[in-house]
Amino acid sequence: MAKGMFVDTSICTGCKACQVACKEWNSLPGDPAHFRRVPDRPYRVAFNFTGDSYDNTVKLSATDWRHVRFIEQFNESRSEARWLFSSDSCKHCNDAGCLNACPVKAIVRTDMGNVFVQQDVCIGCKYCIPACPYGVISFSEKTGTVHKCTLCNDRIHNGLGTACAKACPTGSISFGEVADLRKKADARLARLKGLGFEKANIYGYNEAGGLNVFYLFMDRPSVYGQPEAPVVPQQRLMSSTAVTVASAVVVAAAAMISFRERGEKKKEEVKL
Amino acid sequence: MIMGSNMAECHPVAFRWPLKAKTDHGAVLMHVDPRFTRTSALCDIHVPIRAGTDILFLGAIINHVITSRRWNTDPFFKEYVVNYTNAATLVNPDFKDTEDLNGIYSGLSSDGKAYANESWSYQRGPKPTPAVTEAKTFTDLLLERVPGRPKTDPTLKNPHTVFQIIRKHYHRYTPEMVEKVCGCPKKKFLKVAETLLNNSGRDKTSNITYAVGWTQHTVGVQIIRTAAMLQALLGNIGRPGGGVLALRGHATIQGSTDIATLYQSLPGYLNMPDARKNTETFKDYILTEAVPLSTSYWGNFPKFAVSYFKAQYGDAATKENDYGYDYHPKITADHSHLPMFVHMSEGQIKGFFVMGQNPGVGGQNARFQRKALAKLDWMVVRDFYETETSAFWKNSPEIRSGELKSADIKTEVFFLPAAAVAEMEGTFTNTQRLIQQHEKSTDPPGDARSDLWFTYHLGKRLRKLYASSTKDHDWAIKNLYWNYEPEPSEVADYRIKDEPSAYKVLKEINGYTWEDKKPLPTFANLKEDGSTVSGAWIYTGVISEEGVNNARRRRGDNWISPNWGFAWPANRHIMYNRASADLAGKPWSKKKKLVYWDPKAGTWVAPSGDGIDFLPTKAPGSRGKDNGIGFDWLSGNDPFIMRPDGKSWLFAPFGIVDGPMPAHYEPYESPVANLVYRQQANPVAKTWFIEGNPYHKVADPRYPIVISTYRVTEHHLSGTMSRWLPWLAELMPELFCEISPELAAEKGIKNADYMTIETARGEIQARALVTRRMQPFTINGKTVHEVGLPWHWGWQARAEGDVVNNLSVLVADPNVTIHEGKVFTCNVRAGKRGGAA
Amino acid sequence: MSFETQAPHWEWYYIAIYFFIGGVSAGAYFIGSLLELLGSDKHRQISRTAYYLAFPLICVTPVLLIADLGRPERFWHLFFYTKEGIPYMNFTSPLSVGTWALLVFGGMSLLSFLNNLIIDGRLKSPALEGLFRHVPHKVYAVIGSFFGFFVAGYTGVLLNITARPLWASTDPLIGSLFIASAASTGAAAIALVMAWQKISSRDAIKEVVVFDRVAMVFELALIAAMIVVAGRYSAPLSKGLYGLIFWGGTVVIGILLPLGLYWYGRRPGAAGVSLTALAAVLVLFGGAMLRIAIVQAGQLQ
Ligand SMILES: Nc1nc2c(c(=O)[nH]1)N[C@H]1C(S)=C(S)[C@@H](COP(=O)(O)OP(=O)(O)OC[C@H]3O[C@@H](n4cnc5c(=O)[nH]c(N)nc54)[C@H](O)[C@@H]3O)O[C@H]1N2
Ligand SMILES: Nc1nc2c(c(=O)[nH]1)N[C@H]1C(S)=C(S)[C@@H](COP(=O)(O)OP(=O)(O)OC[C@H]3O[C@@H](n4cnc5c(=O)[nH]c(N)nc54)[C@H](O)[C@@H]3O)O[C@H]1N2
Ligand code: SF4
Ligand code: SF4
Ligand code: SF4
Ligand code: SF4
Ligand code: SF4
Ligand SMILES: [Mo]
């Protein structure tokens, strides 16, 4: 009975209401890195213009738990003209790299299936950051801990949907039972395929053990900045450990051989 | 079809519905816009056209439609057009079209500044014998003056029929001409035209949606008229899914048009008494305003007007003193925004209240407007933050450049903190005429007060100051009916105890009987004898009985939702909905059933719950009374009840000052000559040849690039409401200019670098956003580039940028004086500007 | 593999140096223990040096580790889950298991350190002596060596078990590489100390050097393998500052040069001890550069 979100990028208008709603509900400030002092102004002024389509916040961060990507696909003659939008957040993975990596159990999964960082437990080791295959979780200098989307933990445990889904004007983000959302996604995908959108695909059914927050993309996942074949890093833990142990054995053996041989040679010399 | 609007970005919540139509019902969405925007991204078809060429594009669709096989063979179109539009009406033989006069209509004055519209009028039958012999009431005055019925030719063959005039007028508006003038490939144009045609008819309707991409032109009103004509010809008006939808701007801009913040209009679209017309006495006013419209529902004009004046002056308004009409202000000129600032710059205006506006950023030729503020004695600004307007005297570009010195500015500026929407109670009226209540959630902080509070208490204090005056011209303020004291229960939960009662204001707008103060359920109850009051007749019914505020209702039904808020007039969601049935009163089709005649009951019925925009008992086919007014005159087949002939106007015999039909004119500033007519631009466009407002000549080599200004989702208008919020500031931090890679390469401009945009009015810098979403147009074989700037930035707040309106110019549509902010000319170069913007 | 993952922004002077020092300590300890187990008297000098080195070095590491935490005052959460008040270890987290290993290794190296002090007569503690009588020191040495390897290797596994392109694509080789480097740098550290203190015969040093040579060759092989498996993701290691550090600092200065020097020093009449010391310094430098290059290059966006 896991809760999750279905993000239908085919009806996303790139309005960023979700991004703002997330900040508003979760009391997240404007990213300090986006503002700077200017002469004669008692307040900081935004300067983070990127020139990358309409995306000026660029990535998920400790203060941006949601981020809308803008992908302009135009050929020179503009006979192919497409502007794709996709709103991204934590995927609340069934097998969560961040959770697996956390040495202190700061990251937990709640009864609703969402992956949640306990701010009072996290020690700020930052190991979960590279452990997330999607670059979601981020460190805050201000709190010394990591932050990411909580799937609106407080809201969903009080009978509300997520703030971003609530704010989304087009219904591009929907919140609910993952099973129900999958049905909805299947129907939408079938419809789009029927209309000839061959490249449409669902991202997150099977990827890396399944994602509770999954997407309908109109093009390959990499177009949207998502890994094509994400791997939960810890799936490699056994093999990695085994090889390392083997190396340790090799080194130990080499050491034994090099010291023993020598030692014996010396002994022989002494005997002589 | 969305054209002249960037609906997804500027009306993101409303855009949910077209999107739903697309995903759930297979609707085809089309976007016609010079740029590829977030709206285009979601539409099935995007068609780029050069800014300012919409009339040509739409006119060519009209031509395509009326010459198409489908339109000429499907009986639906004939039945609708012949009966519900004025296509069959005969026009004065003196009328001369633009085809005859190379770009102008008959009636243009010798100085070329205004049209006289006599030659545009209908041919009429003989005047009927009046129904009254002696006029005792205002209504009688109208009955005395009923004109003869317009002459018609239902075969549409007569060369003087509106239809033949239109056919001739648009016959040169061809796909080839579209390609040449709009710069849009013929194929794409045809795709749009065919899609509209194929999705209109008995079983299907198409909608056209626009916003200020159409209005902000010297031909703005005419662009919208072209769309309305097209929709009428396609049978798409008065029917579900049809219509021409204006997406309004600010949250309740529709409400402020209804309850008239516009200078020329009284609440409920009664024209303002106007010293330039014959409106000297109340009788003159009624004769001038109501007679030309009396055979429509406007035949009730006297009732609406008397009820309005009664609402203004209460007991002091009597039959004897013409309900106080003589004391009511009259306009003497065009007092709209642009001329007001021209007058201000000439020192004719002493004091200025700025409530809910920031002309220092949003005003055209903003430098001119800011400099005009320096000519005031005083200015009151009520806002949440210190706006660019209120700070013009200390840190504007003019101050920074040394053009103005703070010490020399005599304007005394009063800044008063305003309450925000959640801090007050009231209603919004949205795009679809839907009145919705919003509640107060908390008191505003500190000294901040609502505009209602400010206005009410200002009125109270003024009335006190004038209480002992015996001067005649103080009569209006002394006798103003000003009675909105809150009931204790209304303010019980709040710190501010003297907040006026929004309910009482709405009740007065709704109307009630003067004697017992009982709310009126419908405007049919209004009287011309002073026994009823109504602030704005169109809103009657929103308070249907004491304590029942229908704007509060929130029951939806996925269809018309008659129990969600209240749609004026009389909860009618689709206006002129008698047109949703055929001549016999039967629904055009099962799928498009809305309002139809029930022969057994002898009434019109609307099972959807929508209000019926017709006289319920007027049978289809029934004839009107030739000497009647209002519904008496209209026949059972006249759905357009606000038009004096009951028809949708393909041809406007009056009411439009720049021609009875739209013709393609180039924008006032354009890099190309008009390829359709010798007349370059709208001959009667409003212009101000004054210092500080220089215009660019046609094809001025110094300004070869088309520039358009618009919005982005992330900011709101002049930015006071968005640029202070870090959350929004970081989403769109700085002013940017959208430019095609082709033009950028030509000018050596690199993405994200600074570039300068220049006009004869000013020079600004912006970050370049080089994108293929902008494209060069080939116009008559020549490349024309367009750049685009969102105009939200200013020098106050957390996201800063130059004021785009430093570039724009005072030039306006002659009907409504809206500026031409959507298209003018400029030049661009790489790098930052020189001095202060 | 994702190009959109985020870097942890670990500081080189904390994390990479921690990895390096932990490796030296573990490597040294392992060599010391091995020789103790082999039980040759001649090697006594080597194990002594190793034990004296291992413990103080490992004491530095928690300081570095904790200094890089966002909430250093909560470091104890690594062992104790506050919400339930129980000791905690996450088996899927190399970092968690590694910190516990560090704790055990720290304990063992302390015991070895103390044992040496007692043997050398620098410390008199009847209690400890009793302890070592009951459980022979070789037991600690074995346990310590095991966890020493753990400490040396987990830092590499920790990097491999992430989604960062460089680290993930080099899986499963960084653990092995770090172990080889730990052995090599551990040996070099011992050699350096011994040479510096002139407390030993050239022979003893030589044996350490021989082992170091083997370890370095193994390391070279692993580096080659790593570059091959990483393919295009090895870019951050082959270009720019970290390319320089890696190829120049680690491979040339830290491996090839000392290999040459050792080789040269083998010849009779060569400058002997001082040459060995120089080579050892280079090896240590190379080991540090290896950690810095891999940890930092993996964090490049
Ligand atoms: N987020 C947000 N929403 C808003 C506002 C805001 O500031 N921010 N403002 C509100 C207000 S007050 C208003 S009036 C509305 C305005 O709503 P819109 O009219 O939808 O907004 P604009 O962005 O001004 O212009 C719309 C489009 O017109 C196009 N355009 C320019 N010239 C032409 C032309 O000649 N022909 C055609 N066909 N298109 C042209 C532009 O490229 C642009 O995409 O938005 C309202 N909603
Ligand atoms: N070049 C160019 N110029 C344009 C346009 C364009 O497309 N291009 N668009 C035009 C259009 S459509 C419009 S509508 C205008 C808008 O131009 P303005 O109306 O001048 O701009 P706004 O930012 O809407 O100003 C509204 C002000 O009212 C304040 N405010 C909000 N709520 C309240 C309230 O309850 N009480 C009070 N007292 N103040 C309040 C806000 O903080 C803000 O400062 O700009 C026009 N200018
Ligand atoms: S997306 Fe990343 S942060 Fe979110 S649960 Fe999965 S691994 Fe953790
Ligand atoms: S930074 Fe916090 S949440 Fe992330 S792994 Fe470390 S302790 Fe766990
Ligand atoms: S679910 Fe909540 S926390 Fe997560 S992105 Fe949406 S609003 Fe933010
Ligand atoms: S709110 Fe919805 S439509 Fe808007 S950007 Fe977010 S997901 Fe897209
Ligand atoms: S700002 Fe308000 S009116 Fe405009 S789209 Fe959003 S909710 Fe609707
Ligand atoms: Mo507007």
Short mmCIF file of all heavy atoms in Angstrom, two decimals, chain B residues 138 281-283 306 310 314-327 475 528-530:
data_model
loop_
_atom_site.label_atom_id
_atom_site.label_comp_id
_atom_site.label_asym_id
_atom_site.label_seq_id
_atom_site.Cartn_x
_atom_site.Cartn_y
_atom_site.Cartn_z
N PHE B 138 -39.55 57.29 -19.39
CA PHE B 138 -38.36 57.15 -20.24
C PHE B 138 -38.58 56.05 -21.27
O PHE B 138 -38.15 56.15 -22.41
CB PHE B 138 -37.13 56.83 -19.38
CG PHE B 138 -36.75 57.94 -18.44
CD1 PHE B 138 -36.69 57.74 -17.07
CD2 PHE B 138 -36.46 59.21 -18.95
CE1 PHE B 138 -36.33 58.77 -16.21
CE2 PHE B 138 -36.10 60.25 -18.09
CZ PHE B 138 -36.04 60.03 -16.72
N THR B 281 -29.02 66.60 -20.25
CA THR B 281 -30.00 66.24 -19.22
C THR B 281 -30.13 64.72 -19.20
O THR B 281 -29.64 64.03 -20.09
CB THR B 281 -31.38 66.83 -19.55
OG1 THR B 281 -31.82 66.20 -20.77
CG2 THR B 281 -31.31 68.33 -19.75
N PHE B 282 -30.83 64.25 -18.18
CA PHE B 282 -31.03 62.81 -18.08
C PHE B 282 -31.77 62.29 -19.31
O PHE B 282 -31.46 61.24 -19.84
CB PHE B 282 -31.81 62.50 -16.79
CG PHE B 282 -31.75 61.03 -16.40
CD1 PHE B 282 -30.61 60.26 -16.64
CD2 PHE B 282 -32.84 60.42 -15.79
CE1 PHE B 282 -30.56 58.92 -16.27
CE2 PHE B 282 -32.80 59.07 -15.43
CZ PHE B 282 -31.66 58.33 -15.67
N LYS B 283 -32.73 63.09 -19.76
CA LYS B 283 -33.49 62.69 -20.95
C LYS B 283 -32.56 62.61 -22.17
O LYS B 283 -32.59 61.63 -22.92
CB LYS B 283 -34.61 63.70 -21.19
CG LYS B 283 -35.47 63.36 -22.38
CD LYS B 283 -36.61 64.36 -22.54
CE LYS B 283 -37.10 64.34 -23.97
NZ LYS B 283 -38.04 65.43 -24.24
N VAL B 306 -31.77 54.41 -13.97
CA VAL B 306 -32.41 55.01 -12.79
C VAL B 306 -31.98 54.25 -11.54
O VAL B 306 -31.63 54.85 -10.50
CB VAL B 306 -33.94 55.01 -12.93
CG1 VAL B 306 -34.61 55.40 -11.61
CG2 VAL B 306 -34.38 55.97 -14.04
N LYS B 310 -30.10 55.88 -8.35
CA LYS B 310 -30.73 55.70 -7.04
C LYS B 310 -29.73 55.07 -6.06
O LYS B 310 -29.68 55.43 -4.88
CB LYS B 310 -31.98 54.81 -7.21
CG LYS B 310 -32.88 54.77 -6.00
CD LYS B 310 -33.75 55.99 -5.87
CE LYS B 310 -34.51 55.94 -4.53
NZ LYS B 310 -35.07 57.25 -4.17
N GLY B 314 -29.40 57.52 -3.21
CA GLY B 314 -30.44 57.11 -2.25
C GLY B 314 -31.65 58.02 -2.25
O GLY B 314 -32.18 58.39 -3.31
N ASP B 315 -32.04 58.42 -1.04
CA ASP B 315 -33.25 59.24 -0.89
C ASP B 315 -33.16 60.56 -1.63
O ASP B 315 -34.16 61.13 -2.04
CB ASP B 315 -33.50 59.51 0.61
CG ASP B 315 -34.31 58.38 1.23
OD1 ASP B 315 -35.12 57.75 0.49
OD2 ASP B 315 -34.13 58.11 2.43
N ALA B 316 -31.91 61.06 -1.78
CA ALA B 316 -31.75 62.35 -2.45
C ALA B 316 -32.07 62.26 -3.93
O ALA B 316 -32.30 63.27 -4.59
CB ALA B 316 -30.32 62.87 -2.24
N ALA B 317 -32.06 61.03 -4.47
CA ALA B 317 -32.35 60.86 -5.90
C ALA B 317 -33.86 60.73 -6.08
O ALA B 317 -34.46 59.77 -5.62
CB ALA B 317 -31.65 59.60 -6.42
N THR B 318 -34.44 61.72 -6.74
CA THR B 318 -35.89 61.70 -6.91
C THR B 318 -36.22 61.88 -8.39
O THR B 318 -35.37 62.28 -9.19
CB THR B 318 -36.56 62.84 -6.12
OG1 THR B 318 -36.05 64.08 -6.66
CG2 THR B 318 -36.25 62.75 -4.65
N LYS B 319 -37.45 61.57 -8.71
CA LYS B 319 -37.90 61.77 -10.08
C LYS B 319 -37.71 63.23 -10.48
O LYS B 319 -37.29 63.54 -11.59
CB LYS B 319 -39.39 61.38 -10.16
CG LYS B 319 -39.94 61.34 -11.58
CD LYS B 319 -41.34 60.75 -11.55
CE LYS B 319 -42.00 60.56 -12.89
NZ LYS B 319 -41.67 61.38 -13.98
N GLU B 320 -37.99 64.13 -9.51
CA GLU B 320 -37.96 65.56 -9.77
C GLU B 320 -36.56 66.03 -10.14
O GLU B 320 -36.38 66.86 -11.04
CB GLU B 320 -38.45 66.35 -8.54
CG GLU B 320 -39.93 66.18 -8.24
CD GLU B 320 -40.33 64.75 -7.87
OE1 GLU B 320 -39.56 64.10 -7.10
OE2 GLU B 320 -41.36 64.26 -8.37
N ASN B 321 -35.53 65.52 -9.43
CA ASN B 321 -34.17 65.98 -9.76
C ASN B 321 -33.46 65.01 -10.70
O ASN B 321 -32.24 64.97 -10.73
CB ASN B 321 -33.35 66.23 -8.47
CG ASN B 321 -33.06 64.95 -7.70
OD1 ASN B 321 -33.34 63.85 -8.17
ND2 ASN B 321 -32.50 65.10 -6.51
N ASP B 322 -34.25 64.26 -11.49
CA ASP B 322 -33.68 63.30 -12.44
C ASP B 322 -32.70 62.35 -11.76
O ASP B 322 -31.66 61.99 -12.31
CB ASP B 322 -32.99 64.02 -13.61
CG ASP B 322 -33.97 64.39 -14.72
OD1 ASP B 322 -35.12 63.88 -14.69
OD2 ASP B 322 -33.59 65.19 -15.59
N TYR B 323 -33.05 61.99 -10.55
CA TYR B 323 -32.25 61.03 -9.76
C TYR B 323 -30.81 61.49 -9.57
O TYR B 323 -29.88 60.70 -9.45
CB TYR B 323 -32.33 59.62 -10.39
CG TYR B 323 -33.77 59.18 -10.54
CD1 TYR B 323 -34.44 59.29 -11.76
CD2 TYR B 323 -34.49 58.73 -9.43
CE1 TYR B 323 -35.77 58.93 -11.88
CE2 TYR B 323 -35.83 58.37 -9.55
CZ TYR B 323 -36.48 58.48 -10.78
OH TYR B 323 -37.79 58.14 -10.87
N GLY B 324 -30.64 62.80 -9.54
CA GLY B 324 -29.31 63.35 -9.27
C GLY B 324 -28.39 63.36 -10.48
O GLY B 324 -27.20 63.66 -10.36
N TYR B 325 -28.95 63.06 -11.66
CA TYR B 325 -28.12 62.97 -12.86
C TYR B 325 -27.25 64.20 -13.07
O TYR B 325 -26.06 64.09 -13.41
CB TYR B 325 -29.01 62.76 -14.09
CG TYR B 325 -28.22 62.76 -15.39
CD1 TYR B 325 -27.60 61.60 -15.83
CD2 TYR B 325 -28.09 63.91 -16.16
CE1 TYR B 325 -26.86 61.58 -17.00
CE2 TYR B 325 -27.34 63.91 -17.34
CZ TYR B 325 -26.73 62.75 -17.75
OH TYR B 325 -26.01 62.74 -18.91
N ASP B 326 -27.82 65.37 -12.84
CA ASP B 326 -27.07 66.60 -13.13
C ASP B 326 -25.82 66.76 -12.27
O ASP B 326 -24.90 67.48 -12.63
CB ASP B 326 -27.97 67.82 -12.90
CG ASP B 326 -29.09 67.87 -13.92
OD1 ASP B 326 -28.98 67.12 -14.92
OD2 ASP B 326 -30.07 68.62 -13.71
N TYR B 327 -25.83 66.11 -11.12
CA TYR B 327 -24.69 66.25 -10.21
C TYR B 327 -23.62 65.21 -10.47
O TYR B 327 -22.54 65.24 -9.90
CB TYR B 327 -25.15 66.15 -8.75
CG TYR B 327 -26.23 67.14 -8.43
CD1 TYR B 327 -27.57 66.75 -8.29
CD2 TYR B 327 -25.90 68.50 -8.28
CE1 TYR B 327 -28.55 67.67 -8.02
CE2 TYR B 327 -26.89 69.43 -8.01
CZ TYR B 327 -28.23 69.01 -7.88
OH TYR B 327 -29.19 69.92 -7.61
N TRP B 475 -23.19 68.90 -4.01
CA TRP B 475 -24.40 68.11 -3.75
C TRP B 475 -24.10 66.61 -3.78
O TRP B 475 -24.49 65.85 -2.90
CB TRP B 475 -25.46 68.45 -4.80
CG TRP B 475 -26.79 67.75 -4.58
CD1 TRP B 475 -27.87 68.26 -3.91
CD2 TRP B 475 -27.18 66.45 -5.05
NE1 TRP B 475 -28.91 67.37 -3.93
CE2 TRP B 475 -28.52 66.24 -4.61
CE3 TRP B 475 -26.55 65.46 -5.78
CZ2 TRP B 475 -29.22 65.06 -4.90
CZ3 TRP B 475 -27.25 64.30 -6.05
CH2 TRP B 475 -28.57 64.09 -5.62
N GLU B 528 -38.03 51.80 -13.46
CA GLU B 528 -37.49 53.10 -13.81
C GLU B 528 -38.14 54.21 -12.99
O GLU B 528 -37.97 55.38 -13.29
CB GLU B 528 -37.64 53.36 -15.31
CG GLU B 528 -39.09 53.49 -15.78
CD GLU B 528 -39.19 54.28 -17.09
OE1 GLU B 528 -39.12 55.53 -17.04
OE2 GLU B 528 -39.33 53.63 -18.13
N ASP B 529 -38.88 53.84 -11.94
CA ASP B 529 -39.58 54.86 -11.16
C ASP B 529 -38.88 55.18 -9.85
O ASP B 529 -39.43 55.85 -8.99
CB ASP B 529 -41.02 54.39 -10.88
CG ASP B 529 -41.04 53.09 -10.09
OD1 ASP B 529 -39.93 52.60 -9.70
OD2 ASP B 529 -42.13 52.54 -9.86
N GLY B 530 -37.67 54.68 -9.67
CA GLY B 530 -36.93 55.00 -8.45
C GLY B 530 -37.27 54.10 -7.28
O GLY B 530 -36.79 54.33 -6.17
#
